[in-house]
Each structure stands twice: as C-alpha cells, then as structure tokens.
Amino acid sequence: MEIGHQENSYSRDNDSSALYLGDGVLFNAGENAIGYFLDSSTSKAKLKQGIKQPNILSEVQLYAAGDISKHGGNLVAESSPSRLKDRIFIAAGSGHIYGISIETKKIVWDFYTGSDLDGSAVISKSGKLFCAIEKQYIQGNGGVLKLNPNKEPNASVEWFLPTGNRRLSSWEGGIIGSVALNDEYNSGEFPALFATNAIDGNLYIGSQDMTTGKKTAVSWRKQSYDTPVIVFKKEIGSSISTPIFTDGNKLISAGYNGVYLFNLNWERAKSGDKNALRNAKGEFYHLKVIESGRFKPGLSFEATPVVWDGIVRICARDGWMYTLG
C-alpha cells in the first residue's frame, strides 16, 4: 500500500507492523498519522499509481486538530498496534495512546500525554498497557507508564517510572523503544517483570505490579503517580532498542555500546525483605541479575534482538547482522 494522500503529518513513511485481526482484515498505521483497516485479500487488491494496493475498508485519524499547532508536522505514527479483546491500542506521535474499537473502527479510548510516542503499547497477560514515553514537547521526564484500559483514561494510571533526561542526537530523554514483559516465559511461578532501555543510558528491570509507596510528580499530566519497584538498574549506554526476555530466565539488551546478556536468577525471600517481589501465588522472591556476556562494546545497535533456536540475531549500524551463540 502506498501512503500517498496528504495529511498534516510531514511523513509518508511506514515503520509500523501490521496486525491481522481475523476475517480477512488487517490494521496498519502510517507515518501520515492515519490508521488503516485493510482487506488482506490479494485478489481484491487493485492497481493504483502503478502499485498493486489493498482495498482500504476504513481510516482512523491518529491526532486531534489541536495537536497540529503543538507538534507542527511531527504527528508521525511509528509504533505498532496491539490487540486486547475487541480493541486495538496504539501510541501515536501526536501524544495520544488510542483505543480503537474493532467493530466500529472508531476511537473509543484516548489517553493524552502530549509527548512524541515511538514505542508500542505493550499488553500484559493481566490486560494492562505498558507505554514508553519520550521526552519531547513535554516538561519533566519521559519514562514508562502503566495504564488500565478498562478504566476511564484519566483514572487509568497505575504507576509511572520517570527516566533521566539526556540529549542524544535529536532526543532529550525518555524511552524510544518499547517495554518488554516476561509474561511469555513465566507460568506464574516467578514475579511479573518489565524491562526497558532508556536514552539516559540505563537498563531498568522492575515489577509489573508492586509499587514503592512513593509518588512522583508528572508535570505533563499535572498529577502525581505511584512508582514501581525497580530491582535492577545498570548503565549500559543510551539505547533506542527494546530489550527482550527469553528462555532460561535470560534477558538480552542492546544499544549504542554493544549487546549485553543477563541471567535472571530467582531466590526465595520473605514478604518484608527489601525488593522482594510477589508471584501470582503470593510467594516472594529476590531477583539476582548477573551479566553473563557482552558483545562488541562501542558498536552501535538500534535494532531489537531476536532469539531463534538458541541463537541471538541482531543487526548493527555497521550494516552487518550478527548471530551470537
């Protein structure tokens, strides 16, 4: 599909991954800040402007009129959509985290941040949204926002993790990649974790559910929110890549200073112990994170790693793809 018709966004690129919704329907967001419901059938595609293009079933505008003056032409939608039951959730460059009804193909939920948003809205097994916030167009800090999409947007925040401000290229701080969750590698035996890389140079690993009891002021929402328990924080260098959890209680993190491999070792703990995390059964554990390997310090990685058959594969800015055993 060619993203051609002019909108208020300055880009016609497409960084978003399409999401198959079933019944022959795809959803994809273009950098022109339009979400497209597409007919996946190749037989129904038609030749337009010299390119065979799918039938567009419906379009959704991923910005409000007032965002044009706030962001100029930078309304670019670069994240990928996520599905939770009958809704699609997507973080838009206009500063909104939108919930879109699959049935009506209209926006039914709208959480406004005001920031540029690049990372995808990641959905946990418990049905919560973990959203990466870049520091652009906002006062204060970017970071990670946990939202409950079953509540009204203004009552949906469960916690916020602020990350440090640091200028790198055109970025000023916050998080550019997405948040990783250990849900797919955790049967419930161990506590639920999130992990993220930030522009401030740190890898953060924390609890999805447990908070510190302390609040942080979030100036761009004019609110104060709970903060999550962080059990591991390490300077790895600035990164726009998303870390990944993988089999064997491991985590892989990449950035502008190479690739790191960590082992995540769980030890039983008591409820009153410092940084003790609770699993789904109410049992408490300590997380001990051990760096077990490092590859190519000084080489820049922006991509997110993947693991296949026990091999890590990741592309670097030097033009090569590396496979790490």
Side-chain angles (χ1 to χ4, degrees), residues 97-176:
I97 299 164
Y98 287 120
I100 301 168
S101 167
I102 295 173
E103 180 182 1
T104 65
K105 299 178 174 56
K106 296 183 183 298
I107 293 170
V108 294
W109 197 86
D110 179 2
F111 184 92
Y112 182 66
T113 71
S115 170
D116 186 14
L117 299 173
D118 300 290
S120 300
V122 178
I123 300 173
S124 69
K125 281 187 176 178
S126 60
K128 306 299 172 62
L129 307 181
F130 289 76
C131 305
I133 311 297
E134 182 187 343
K135 179 186 165 51
Q136 187 178 10
Y137 306 113
I138 59 173
Q139 298 295 316
N141 302 78
V144 180
L145 198 60
K146 180 187 178 185
L147 304 175
N148 183 344
N150 293 317
K151 294 186 176 182
E152 291 298 314
N154 287 337
S156 67
V157 178
E158 294 200 356
W159 53 249
F160 177 69
L161 168 68
T163 60
N165 296 331
R166 177 186 291 183
R167 182 169 291 280
L168 176 71
S169 185
S170 61
W171 299 300
E172 300 175 7
I175 298 168
I176 310 302

